[in-house]
Amino acid sequence: MSQPVRAASHDTSHDASRGASRGAALERALRDFEALAAQLPEQVVPRVVRRRAAEQLARLGWPQARDEQWRYANLRALERIERFAPAAGPAAGAASDAGAAAAAAATLELPPALPGFERLLFVDGVRVAPTGGPGSPVTLSAARATEPCWGPEQRLGLLGDMFAQDAAVLTVAGEASVEVVFVSSARAGGAGVYPRLLLELAPGSRLTLVERHLGAPSATTLLSATVTAELARAAQLTHYRLQQCGAQVLFNDTLSVRLQEQACYRVRQIGTGAHSARTSARVRLAGRGASLSWQAIALGRGEQVHDTTLTVEHAAAATRTEESFRGIADERARLAFSAHIHIESAAAGAEARQSLRGLIEGTSAEIDLRPRLQIDTDEVSAQHGATTGRLDDNLLFYLLARGIDRASARALLKWAFLGDVLRSIELPALRVQAERDAAGQLQEVLALGAVLAEQAAHGGGAGSGAP
């Protein structure tokens, strides 16, 4: 019989109350797990894997602000979570739970389906709509029995291993386009939701994947998503990631991807929603010629917090990484992007580029950008840069001098700041949706909504200012 998992007692912080809060959060998570462990679906995550994840989280402890990779995350909000138990109940695979999820889905207003894409819908972590019809190159199967693979900076991914009720497990051979929509409904309020996405791309396969996170529960809700992907030789994955959750959601996103020889992984990530959002990503370029392109936008207003840590490991020769981040923080929002590229000794001929830029709008807003290159071989080409500031006064004066009013001028400059990343969304329908979502976070752009909508109706794109 398994022994209950207990948190290790190693908090020596001088601030006893905050230490107790962190300890209490971990204890609550482990307590909820023990209460449900025997009932959680074995076919999604084997019981032994769940228990090992709980044991690893107990050893690592709850994240603390003194941990460098968690310094800018909104840990105070996470520490207030009262219930880690899944929203849909422990036996999520049962027909009754799937029926409840389907009933909840019927009340939701979902974005229009993307032309040519198979849609897979999850509500509160439970699958509603299947994919993979006759002749499809996508196989939807039971989850693989993977061991926990999350390091200290990704430790909250262990919550997904512990509590996941269902999973989108996609094996791709050939060429496919799939949209996975994860929605948190009203019934998720005050509980946990654990989206789980596992991808395996066969040699030479190509997948265009759209991953959306939606929903606005009325009470504080933990949404802890885990994504793992294995790309075989010459496989290509284009991954669009849109986080558009409501203001009561605490969003935690943990991602691990491994690329073999000549594989290519392209990420386009747009983060606008949630009270606080944390992405902990690790990408390993394991095969010669593997490449990563990561382009991201984060837009914060009010007291929103968006924090991303991205670690890229160049483990083979001729590997390439290009990273671009654009963030705008308004009012009292806080944004952080930590980009660590490690070029190992075996990665001769590697190339790495980092461009991180932040725009501060609010008097109490904060942006922290941390580019880092760790290079263990001389045969590389690498560069990085990070800038944070306010709108360029010279450019603003230039527009004002040509008769453009101040609000419109500021809107145009903000939109130009985001343009490179928005233009990289190659699906026109998705780009328009992403632009509208981004515009919703920018007050001056909203003021130009009628003009922008008219431009969009005439085929305008991101560069022309069409949300």
Side-chain angles (χ1 to χ4, degrees), residues 49-185:
V49 175
R50 293 182 188 272
R51 184 156 295 277
R52 287 174 183 167
E55 292 169 351
Q56 185 173 340
L57 182 60
R59 285 194 301 270
L60 291 172
W62 199 252
Q64 302 182 35
R66 66 188 182 193
D67 298 331
E68 180 61 28
Q69 293 300 321
W70 290 93
R71 182 178 174 187
Y72 293 96
N74 192 349
L75 297 178
R76 189 167 297 179
L78 289 171
E79 290 156 7
R80 292 197 296 265
I81 297 170
E82 293 295 333
R83 180 185 168 200
F84 290 85
S96 60
D97 293 301
T107 68
L108 300 173
E109 184 176 345
L110 299 176
L114 296 170
F117 277 70
E118 300 179 62
R119 172 172 278 187
L120 180 61
L121 175 63
F122 284 70
V123 177
D124 301 335
V126 179
R127 189 186 320 161
V128 174
T131 191
S136 170
V138 177
T139 301
L140 180 64
S141 61
R144 298 186 298 274
T146 55
E147 292 292 324
C149 60
W150 315 119
E153 77 282 7
Q154 295 183 298
R155 69 187 72 181
L156 291 187
L158 294 165
L159 293 171
D161 293 334
M162 292 161 59
F163 290 108
Q165 306 158 280
D166 208 342
V169 185
L170 305 179
T171 302
V172 181
E175 186 169 352
S177 299
V178 178
E179 179 186 24
V180 184
V181 182
F182 295 106
V183 183
S184 301
S185 72

Side-chain angles (χ1 to χ4, degrees), residues 413-430:
L413 292 177
K414 289 181 182 180
W415 206 245
F417 179 78
L418 303 176
D420 288 347
V421 177
L422 290 172
R423 279 192 298 270
S424 70
I425 300 176
E426 297 175 350
L427 306 173
L430 185 66

Side-chain angles (χ1 to χ4, degrees), residues 311-331:
T311 300
V312 181
E313 301 165 343
H314 287 248
T319 45
R320 301 182 304 280
T321 293
E322 181 180 355
E323 298 173 359
S324 178
F325 171 76
R326 301 293 182 262
I328 300 179
D330 202 352
E331 299 171 346

